[in-house]
């Protein structure tokens, strides 16, 4: 069983930065692609970014390209999302998700087996 625990959310002014972390338990972390999703009130959960098991490949949703950076430290079983130049429209609950031993990045939520509890990010204007 894999458990994911996010941290690092909070309240920040527009233009500010936050770094989200997702600590994972379980032996399959280093072979699993990881994703970050977000869900704003009244909206569906959407893909934000993904990173391959090795960390060598990554994908971003268009609205965060150039502002967000995903990375991982397999020695620490942790994946990160550095968020810069934050905008009010980035306000959402952010979730990390794991593909349970599958290395390929996917944009669809149903492709991910394990989910964290979410961390709130609020960007004020």
């Amino acid at each position: 069983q894999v458990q994911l625990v996010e941290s690092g959310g909070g309240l920040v002014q527009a233009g500010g930065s936050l770094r989200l972390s997702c600590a994972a338990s379980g032996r399959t972390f280093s072979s699993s692609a990881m994703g970050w999703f977000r869900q704003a009130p009244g909206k569906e959960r959407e893909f934000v970014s993904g990173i391959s098991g090795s960390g060598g490949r990554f994908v971003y949703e268009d609205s965060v390209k150039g502002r967000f950076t995903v990375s991982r430290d397999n020695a620490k079983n942790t994946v990160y999302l550095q968020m810069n130049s934050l905008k009010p429209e980035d306000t959402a609950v952010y979730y990390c998700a794991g593909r349970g031993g599958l290395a390929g990045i996917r944009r669809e939520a149903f492709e991910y087996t394990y989910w964290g509890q979410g961390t709130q990010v609020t960007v004020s204007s």
Side-chain angles (χ1 to χ4, degrees):
Q1 186 71 12
V2 174
Q3 290 187 330
L4 304 177
V5 179
E6 301 101 334
S7 61
L11 173 65
V12 64
Q13 289 187 334
S17 298
L18 285 173
R19 188 195 196 201
L20 305 183
S21 299
C22 174
S25 64
R27 300 178 180 178
T28 61
F29 178 80
S30 62
S31 61
S32 299
M34 299 294 294
W36 286 98
F37 291 76
R38 65 186 180 187
Q39 187 166 18
K43 295 187 177 181
E44 293 187 353
R45 189 170 298 189
E46 67 172 354
F47 175 82
V48 175
S49 180
I51 187 167
S52 63
S54 66
R57 289 176 289 113
F58 25 80
V59 175
Y60 297 97
E61 192 265 333
D62 285 347
S63 69
V64 308
K65 284 181 180 177
R67 299 188 299 122
F68 290 11
T69 303
V70 64
S71 61
R72 66 190 297 161
D73 185 339
N74 286 344
K76 296 182 178 180
N77 274 17
T78 302
V79 63
Y80 305 97
L81 186 67
Q82 177 67 44
M83 306 186 295
N84 298 329
S85 302
L86 283 161
K87 304 175 181 180
E89 50 264 43
D90 294 318
T91 295
V93 177
Y94 284 71
Y95 299 88
C96 71
R99 294 204 67 218
L102 301 176
I105 302 169
R106 296 291 185 271
R107 292 177 176 267
E108 298 82 7
F110 72 84
E111 296 279 5
Y112 292 79
T113 304
Y114 302 106
W115 291 83
Q117 82 287 353
T119 186
Q120 176 70 47
V121 171
T122 303
V123 185
S124 63
S125 58

